[in-house]
Amino acid sequence: MSEFSFTDHSHRRFNPLTQSWVLCSPHRAKRPWLGQTEEQSTETRPSYDPKCYLCPGNTRATGTRNEQYTSTYVFTNDYAAVHENQPMCTNTDIEQVTRSSSNDLFRVESVCGTCKVVCFSPRHDLTLPELSVEEIIKVVCAWQQVYADLSRNPEIKYVQLFENKGAVMGCSNPHPHGQAWALSHVPSEPAQEISSFRAYQKKHNACILCTYVEAELVNSKTESTNRIIVQNESFMVVVPFWATWPFETMIVAKSHVSSISEMSDAMTRDLASAIRELTIRYDNLFECSFPYSMGLHQAPTATHEDGVCCHLHLHFYPPLLRSKEVRKFLVGFEMMAEPQRDLTAEQAASRLRALSSVHYKSKV
């Protein structure tokens, strides 16, 4: 029997943050594709769209008019997923849908909170990779301000900052923007990560991501084990060893920083630079506006009791697989059993690392 090869043979990789496994099947990348292809927009967007609900000075669907903003712009989502003031759900209320009071089978919790929209720029046509470092710094500063402001509300237990880029990721408006959802509880995904942080700290007396950063720095000395795409003084951009999505990445703070509130001015600049370097490479991969969902994981709030064990990092989950028309689907086995990927983390990192840090549109 031939020797095991990570580029040819199936194997599972463990995600220590979520305590879950992902099946890697690199040989499947060779299979022919006759499935769904995504339509790519060839439309050139204007710098200002009078019909866009997010452009400066325009009136939104609810009748509220945007300010004539010239930088980032933050406002409360007109169609928020949660609201600050709503009644609590009692056992009597639960009986309306279960014919019994709350028990191990039928549990309900009332959720309160608020949602913010963060417009990255007044320009309707520029996404993050097309902004300058200085302009992305303003975005990061807006995130810091939103996070700090929402953390001051004692009813808020968690703040999630995120961006959905591209229609394929469910983005309802093409004007480059992100969101902040603030909730009265810590959601399942970050709660699992925090549990993993605590367990690793207890077992090893160390932070799991501090240890991971050190290990990947050592791994980067050999091409076959190098998963780092780019790095600077404060942040590392890496394809996680346990990545699920084809070109999934993490931007991880090299030092133990619990949240963006703790970043120095130098770290803020370095984070903006890392975001720009990564997203330019994403766009360059298939020479398109590369879709993804991105989110910051950090201390639930600036004052949360679990904050000390948290380590600031950003997840990027892009769906494209073989080209700008072919995307990855999490279906079938992946929904019923566990996630699966066709490309190893090392192969994905090598491809992204080899790309130019100059946006392809700048070369035209």
Side-chain angles (χ1 to χ4, degrees):
M1 184 178 291
S2 60
E3 292 185 359
F4 181 86
S5 169
F6 277 97
T7 58
D8 290 321
H9 299 137
S10 302
H11 58 281
R12 299 168 82 204
R13 299 192 183 194
F14 183 68
N15 183 339
L17 293 179
T18 60
Q19 300 294 302
S20 60
W21 291 85
V22 56
L23 172 65
C24 298
S25 309
H27 55 282
R28 277 170 57 88
K30 303 171 185 176
R31 63 181 175 142
W33 181 264
L34 296 175
Q36 177 175 314
T37 57
E38 304 297 327
E39 289 187 14
Q40 290 294 315
S41 174
T42 57
E43 177 187 9
T44 301
R45 296 204 306 270
S47 59
Y48 166 77
D49 184 349
K51 297 181 180 179
C52 171
Y53 293 132
L54 301 184
C55 276
N58 288 358
T59 301
R60 303 201 296 272
T62 56
T64 304
R65 184 178 293 275
N66 296 328
E67 296 177 11
Q68 286 286 357
Y69 63 97
T70 58
S71 181
T72 55
Y73 178 54
V74 179
F75 63 89
T76 300
N77 196 320
D78 297 320
Y79 300 97
V82 290
H83 300 283
E84 292 185 87
N85 298 310
Q86 69 172 38
M88 296 299 294
C89 183
T90 66
N91 279 335
T92 301
D93 297 319
I94 295 172
E95 290 172 4
Q96 299 176 35
V97 292
T98 66
R99 301 186 68 180
S100 64
S101 59
S102 179
N103 55 49
D104 288 345
L105 294 179
F106 304 107
R107 296 175 60 186
V108 178
E109 292 180 354
S110 180
V111 180
C112 298
T114 186
C115 299
K116 303 288 184 180
V117 175
V118 182
C119 295
F120 297 153
S121 162
R123 289 284 296 271
H124 184 76
D125 57 334
L126 298 182
T127 58
L128 282 177
E130 297 170 280
L131 298 179
S132 67
V133 171
E134 295 298 330
E135 289 170 320
I136 299 176
I137 286 174
K138 294 177 181 177
V139 175
V140 176
C141 288
W143 289 340
Q144 291 172 314
Q145 189 63 57
V146 168
Y147 178 76
D149 289 345
L150 293 173
S151 291
R152 280 192 279 270
N153 184 341
E155 300 302 317
I156 296 301
K157 306 302 179 186
Y158 184 79
V159 179
Q160 179 64 66
L161 296 158
F162 66 97
E163 177 198 7
N164 292 324
K165 182 189 176 193
V168 71
M169 299 309 292
C171 184
S172 60
N173 189 308
H175 191 114
H177 70 284
Q179 298 184 58
W181 288 18
L183 309 174
S184 55
H185 70 286
V186 179
S188 303
E189 190 77 7
Q192 178 58 64
E193 281 197 4
I194 291 170
S195 176
S196 297
F197 276 120
R198 286 199 304 257
Y200 193 92
Q201 180 71 41
K202 182 177 180 180
K203 182 176 181 180
H204 300 281
N205 194 31
C207 166
I208 190 170
L209 283 184
C210 286
T211 307
Y212 181 65
V213 165
E214 293 173 1
E216 289 293 32
L217 285 171
V218 174
N219 290 331
S220 68
K221 297 177 181 179
T222 306
E223 179 63 26
S224 63
T225 59
N226 186 9
R227 285 171 289 274
I228 298 176
I229 300 165
V230 68
Q231 60 180 312
N232 54 39
E233 189 69 25
S234 308
F235 289 92
M236 169 191 293
V237 182
V238 61
V239 176
F241 179 76
W242 52 82
T244 294
W245 294 95
F247 295 97
E248 176 181 331
T249 57
M250 281 200 309
I251 299 181
V252 192
K254 286 184 171 181
S255 59
H256 189 79
V257 178
S258 295
S259 74
I260 52 175
S261 288
E262 299 177 9
M263 295 196 308
S264 64
D265 290 345
M267 288 192 73
T268 299
R269 175 173 289 277
D270 282 350
L271 177 55
S273 178
I275 291 171
R276 187 170 188 270
E277 288 256 14
L278 171 61
T279 54
I280 284 176
R281 282 175 164 81
Y282 271 161
D283 278 13
N284 286 348
L285 182 61
F286 299 129
E287 294 197 348
C288 68
S289 185
F290 201 79
Y292 57 73
S293 278
M294 176 275 289
L296 284 74
H297 277 180
Q298 55 188 330
T301 65
T303 57
H304 197 279
E305 60 183 2
D306 287 325
V308 65
C309 72
C310 295
H311 187 120
L312 173 64
H313 59 290
L314 290 72
H315 291 287
F316 284 77
Y317 299 140
L320 297 187
L321 174 59
R322 301 183 180 206
S323 68
K324 60 186 177 183
E325 290 87 18
V326 178
R327 63 167 294 183
K328 166 72 176 175
F329 291 92
L330 287 179
V331 295
F333 179 88
E334 291 140 314
M335 294 181 72
M336 307 300 169
E338 68 185 20
Q340 180 271 338
R341 62 182 283 121
D342 296 347
L343 194 67
T344 68
E346 298 74 39
Q347 290 170 329
S350 179
R351 290 182 62 179
L352 290 170
R353 192 165 52 244
L355 294 167
S356 172
S357 59
V358 177
H359 198 278
Y360 75 93
K361 289 183 179 180
S362 300
K363 302 176 183 179
V364 177

